[in-house]
Amino acid sequence: MSSQVSRRRFLAAAGVGLVGMSGGAGYAFGVEPRHVLMSPEEVPVPGLPPALDGLRILQVSDIHLYAGLHAPARRAMAIAAEAAPDITLLTGDLLEQQSQLPNLKPLIEACRGRLATVAVMGNWEYAAGVIPSRYARALEAGGAELLYNAARVVSVGDTRLALVGLDDPRAGYPRPDKALADVPAGIPTVWTYHAPGYTDDLSPDRYPPPTFIAAGHTHGGQIRFPLVPPVLPPGSGRFVAGWYRDTFAPLYVSRGIGTTAVRARFLCPPELPLFTLRRT
């Protein structure tokens, strides 16, 4: 049995179990999925150029649009618009069906960063049959750029920051060498890709470590029961949620916004991480 089938069966069984709990179903299906949290994260960076001190980077991950802009997506849009980030990273699995492509425009417009908004492919974009060129056009309609093994250099005054986006490690072919080809040496970089398990394949012997890496994919387990290990999708590796610092570079794995298989969350609320770079 594949791990993906196992995970879907687990989520389905967990959903049934929640229905049997007193009040559990109402909370897991109707309350927690809408309870989107802003997760403020300070990122200390030795030697960070003064112009980048205080730069704010918002991560929007795993929206999973399947029938229009659902309530968690609308809540995330409101929080993102109020936060008014400098840069926004859209880290994959924004949709589950090709029919949802038009809904990316209002979503991106609400979450857009002041300096740049970039996106990467997720496994659900591939599963939906959305090829990168078509995805790029839909993203551009809202003001975002697809980084498909590519980089975007952002200028802040006389200082530059590179945003490096890789193809989804699970369903695609990440190419760090290609993405870094045009990145000027010595400038701070932030990497992003969808599935975090790939991080353990990266080595500082091959690539200069970035300031940090932002990934998603895991949903943090989505439905968590006390004392029960999380059941994660393929491509997660050993990573569940939050910071990991025993890696190629500091890695943050977002719990994301949406749901899959079962439209419920339990003890694993959706989140919008907001990273603030700090000079140390």
Side-chain angles (χ1 to χ4, degrees):
M1 182 187 299
S2 73
S3 55
Q4 178 66 9
V5 171
S6 299
R7 177 173 180 260
R8 288 180 177 174
R9 288 183 176 177
F10 168 81
L11 291 174
V16 172
L18 290 167
V19 170
M21 294 171 55
S22 176
Y27 175 78
F29 285 88
V31 177
E32 187 166 305
R34 302 166 183 249
H35 186 51
V36 181
L37 302 177
M38 174 67 79
S39 299
E41 301 290 341
E42 299 266 318
V43 183
V45 184
L48 183 74
L52 299 181
D53 186 34
L55 188 81
R56 298 182 309 138
I57 302 174
L58 181 73
Q59 181 185 5
V60 182
S61 194
D62 297 271
I63 295 285
H64 284 275
L65 296 178
Y66 61 94
L69 293 169
H70 48 59
R74 292 196 298 271
R75 177 61 182 153
M77 290 162 65
I79 294 173
E82 184 176 356
D86 299 305
I87 292 169
T88 296
L89 308 176
L90 304 166
T91 56
D93 282 10
L94 300 186
L95 51 78
E96 294 186 359
Q97 301 171 6
Q98 293 189 33
S99 62
Q100 300 305 304
L101 283 167
N103 288 316
L104 294 182
K105 184 176 186 294
L107 172 70
I108 293 167
E109 289 174 341
C111 300
R112 197 160 52 194
R114 178 178 63 88
L115 299 174
T117 303
V118 300
V120 294
M121 296 288 291
N123 60 284
W124 269 98
E125 277 77 37
Y126 279 109
V130 180
I131 61 174
S133 58
R134 187 179 182 191
Y135 194 45
R137 290 193 297 271
L139 293 166
E140 289 167 2
E145 178 183 356
L146 177 64
L147 295 183
Y148 182 66
N149 293 324
R152 164 82 181 276
V153 176
V154 178
S155 295
V156 183
D158 295 330
T159 302
R160 293 178 295 174
L161 171 73
L163 308 173
V164 176
L166 303 183
D167 193 13
D168 176 49
R170 179 186 165 196
Y173 300 94
R175 291 277 310 279
D177 51 344
K178 182 176 184 294
L180 292 168
D182 296 324
V183 174
I187 69 172
T189 62
V190 173
W191 286 29
T192 185
Y193 43 82
H194 182 62
Y198 178 65
T199 310
D200 279 340
D201 294 335
L202 296 169
S203 167
D205 295 333
R206 292 195 62 188
Y207 310 109
T211 298
F212 75 97
I213 303 167
H217 184 57
T218 69
H219 297 200
Q222 188 173 313
I223 295 177
R224 301 290 304 272
F225 294 114
L227 305 180
V228 177
V231 178
L232 304 173
S236 300
R238 61 187 173 94
F239 306 108
V240 181
W243 283 108
Y244 295 85
R245 302 187 186 276
D246 60 342
T247 43
F248 163 69
L251 167 70
Y252 192 90
V253 181
S254 172
R255 298 191 303 270
I257 299 299
T259 57
T260 187
V262 175
R263 306 301 176 186
R265 281 182 176 263
F266 189 69
L267 302 182
C268 189
E271 70 167 342
L272 280 173
L274 181 64
F275 308 99
T276 302
L277 303 187
R278 292 298 183 195
R279 178 180 172 86
T280 62

